Amino acid sequence: MPQHAQNTRLCRDCDGFAAAAITTGTRHHDGTRATLRVTCPTCHGTGRAAAVVLARTGR
């Protein structure tokens, strides 16, 4: 029988790629490039969708 992978809930905005490194164009004194790490604002860099909190109203 085939093995099925678990359904992982990926973030809809970043599709699981939650962080990106962007070069600024400048270099450090040792020659490496200065980069900025930018994370997805929706999942806060986790790559997974947040669990939906359901509130029950009424009686």
Side-chain angles (χ1 to χ4, degrees):
M1 289 193 61
Q3 296 290 329
H4 296 289
Q6 292 180 353
N7 291 338
T8 56
R9 299 182 339 183
L10 296 177
C11 176
R12 284 193 256 173
D13 291 336
C14 66
D15 201 25
F17 296 96
I22 301 171
T23 61
T24 60
T26 60
R27 292 186 180 259
H28 294 292
H29 293 294
D30 61 354
T32 59
R33 293 193 181 266
T35 59
L36 297 173
R37 183 176 177 191
V38 181
T39 58
C40 175
T42 304
C43 66
H44 302 291
T46 61
R48 298 182 184 263
V52 178
V53 178
L54 298 176
R56 188 171 192 176
T57 58
R59 295 184 194 173

